[in-house]
Amino acid sequence: MENEQNTKKNLMDISVKLFAEKGYDSVGVQEICGGAKITKPTLYYYFGSKSGLLQSIIESFGGELLDKIREAATYTHDFQNSLTKVLKATISFAQTNGKYFDLHCSLTNAPDGSEAAAIFSSLKNGLETEIQTLFKNSCNEFGNMRGKERLYALLYQNNIYSVAQAVIRGKIGAGDETVHQIVHSFMYGIAN
């Protein structure tokens, strides 16, 4: 059983790396199998197909990100604190799961109608819903946001993804001062 878990994990790790570096559509099953040093029937046994493999990756890694965002986005009538917690949770996840996070950001922008977009859609919708709910719940304190919650939520989500990618590439730090400046800048835009 432990060997099966190791094989599945190895397949997922190799696939995350390949999908992140080359794109889901550009990676074939044979390349995955070669990288993982297994046969095609082994991949099919565990995942059924390449799309089944991507689905498992998204459920595993993406499910963890969704849980972290959901917990961080719980609104406590302190919008700045909630935004800060969401940003920190995203950065922390990206630092621990860099290759998956690159893949995640790529899948977020996958072309409509593509196989990758269809597989990713449930997670994408779940994450968008969590962020949008936070913004909707914040309208009582930020009335000028009313009617624009979806737009601001989308802008913030794209912002936190960009920031997390910049952090894992070493372009910016992830310290409290940097996080505060990013959140403050975003909130300043909403307040005006």
Side-chain angles (χ1 to χ4, degrees):
M1 186 69 152
E2 186 176 320
N3 194 34
E4 283 187 19
Q5 290 296 82
N6 289 340
T7 300
K8 285 180 76 172
K9 182 179 178 343
N10 184 46
L11 264 167
M12 289 172 65
D13 289 345
I14 294 290
S15 299
V16 165
K17 181 179 183 304
L18 290 170
F19 294 158
E21 291 173 356
K22 298 181 177 188
Y24 173 76
D25 291 331
S26 298
V27 178
V29 169
Q30 186 58 50
E31 186 174 3
I32 296 166
C33 293
K37 298 179 179 29
I38 55 120
T39 62
K40 284 183 182 181
T42 302
L43 182 143
Y44 295 134
Y45 171 76
Y46 288 116
F47 300 104
S49 63
K50 179 179 147 185
S51 62
L53 174 58
L54 181 61
Q55 181 67 43
S56 292
I57 289 167
I58 291 168
E59 288 171 1
S60 177
F61 290 94
E64 180 183 341
L65 177 59
L66 178 58
D67 289 344
K68 288 182 181 300
I69 296 284
R70 182 178 290 128
E71 182 179 332
T74 301
Y75 190 58
T76 59
H77 300 283
D78 184 345
F79 189 49
Q80 182 172 351
N81 185 50
S82 295
L83 293 179
T84 299
K85 288 191 310 187
V86 169
L87 178 56
K88 284 183 173 184
T90 305
I91 290 170
S92 174
F93 177 85
Q95 288 174 316
T96 305
N97 303 284
K99 284 295 182 188
Y100 172 78
F101 195 74
D102 285 341
L103 172 61
H104 180 89
C105 291
S106 172
L107 292 171
T108 298
N109 297 304
D112 290 342
S114 69
E115 181 178 61
I119 295 167
F120 189 67
S121 66
S122 179
L123 177 65
K124 181 178 181 179
N125 293 337
L127 287 163
E128 288 174 359
T129 298
E130 292 300 326
I131 303 291
Q132 286 176 26
T133 300
L134 170 62
F135 278 75
K136 286 177 185 170
N137 291 337
S138 304
C139 282
N140 291 332
E141 283 92 320
F142 287 86
N144 59 339
M145 194 165 54
R146 195 172 316 283
K148 298 177 264 186
E149 305 95 331
R150 187 170 188 270
L151 171 64
Y152 286 139
L154 180 62
L155 292 171
Y156 192 67
Q157 188 172 3
N158 286 330
N159 191 22
I160 62 175
Y161 286 177
S162 295
V163 168
Q165 282 193 305
V167 168
I168 63 176
R169 286 179 175 62
K171 294 181 179 180
I172 61 173
D176 287 342
E177 182 60 30
T178 302
V179 168
H180 174 75
Q181 288 173 348
I182 291 164
V183 171
H184 185 274
S185 295
F186 186 82
M187 287 186 64
Y188 182 76
I190 291 173
N192 287 324

